[in-house]
Amino acid sequence: MKKYSLAIVLVLFVFCVPLVFTEIANSYKEPFNILDNPLPSLVLTVFSLVLITLAWVLVMALKKVELLQNEKDGVTPEVASSSFMTWWRQLMQKWTKSKSMEQESEIVLDHNYDGIRELDNTLPPWWVYMFYASILFAIVYLVRFEVFDGDTPEMEYKKAVAEARASLEKYKETATDLIDASTVTLLTDEKDLKRGKAVFNLNCAACHLADGGGSIGPNLTDEYWILGGGIKNVYTTISEGGRDGKGMISWKNTLKPQDMAKVASYVLSLQGTTPATAKKAEGDLWKEE
Ligand code: HEC
């Protein structure tokens, strides 16, 4: 029973790990990006190492069996030599077809160039097969790129970049939370300004008055700005707050970026209106560049 339990564990291991692995790999977007997801690569490496160790143990065990058998049959170790070395030598012979020094007389050519002689070696099979493989490659290459006009790596790259750009644009369109001081634009849409007005009346009117005339906070309807005019500066002021101790707090933790953009646009839409009680202008005259 003990004999089998090890075998069962091994079989389970060999079958289950790939199953678990595909499960893991499926749940990741880029399973083989080692930097982002080291786990799949780690599992694969450990699994391969275990398999290699198993194979090695098996080979050693087989060798041991052969040795014991030889001992039983009375074969001396020299005759048996290492089966691995014999296999290796045969393999080399098969792939190089080289003649040993003793056999050179069989292939030496008749010519004798001032004592220099030449061997008529056959082409080594490893080289010949590589040559055939390159012919095959050339045919595939020719058909793919010359006949069917396949994409060169440069074209593939350009296509991939264009695709990535397009999907980025699409993402930006839907993800309005990406607005920040550098990307914010003046909104003129009726709906956006209405939303901006609602946000303003709720959060800002206490200090700036509903018509922007100003009380604790400065007048927002004139062309003079303490912290800079224009959509980008106004957005920054709302998001980051005014100078320390003046009373204008940072709103970025209270308001969503879209709402800050809308209220900033609404504030700018008040330019040139005449509030009921206008506070004296503060700051510098702002000219849009
Ligand atoms: C507690 C009172 C208070 C509230 C509420 C308040 N502000 Fe202010 N706001 C101020 C003060 C005070 C300043 C001047 C800051 C400074 O001098 O640094 C200011 C400055 C500003 C400025 C810059 C004006 C300039 O001349 O550069 C803008 C724009 C502004 N507020 C918009 C808003 C908006 C939009 C809200 C609502 C989300 C709001 N404020 C809410 C008090 C307030």
Side-chain angles (χ1 to χ4, degrees), residues 219-233:
N219 184 343
L220 297 176
T221 63
D222 56 33
E223 299 171 281
Y224 291 83
W225 297 89
I226 305 168
L227 303 164
I231 184 68
K232 293 203 157 67
N233 285 320

Side-chain angles (χ1 to χ4, degrees), residues 110-117:
D110 292 338
H111 293 289
N112 187 333
Y113 308 91
D114 295 338
I116 299 172
R117 323 249 334 242

Side-chain angles (χ1 to χ4, degrees), residues 196 199-208 215-220 222-230 233-239 241-251 254-255 259-260 263-264 266-268 279 282-284:
V199 173
F200 188 87
N201 287 341
L202 193 67
N203 300 288
C204 325
C207 298
H208 292 283
S215 74
I216 297 169
N219 184 343
L220 297 176
D222 56 33
E223 299 171 281
Y224 291 83
W225 297 89
I226 305 168
L227 303 164
N233 285 320
V234 170
Y235 183 92
T236 308
T237 304
I238 297 168
S239 153
R243 295 170 295 176
D244 278 345
K246 290 286 179 183
M248 174 69 185
I249 59 158
S250 154
W251 292 89
T254 318
L255 300 176
D259 280 344
M260 289 197 292
V263 78
Y266 174 70
V267 164
L268 286 171
K279 212 175 158 189
E282 292 167 84
D284 303 318

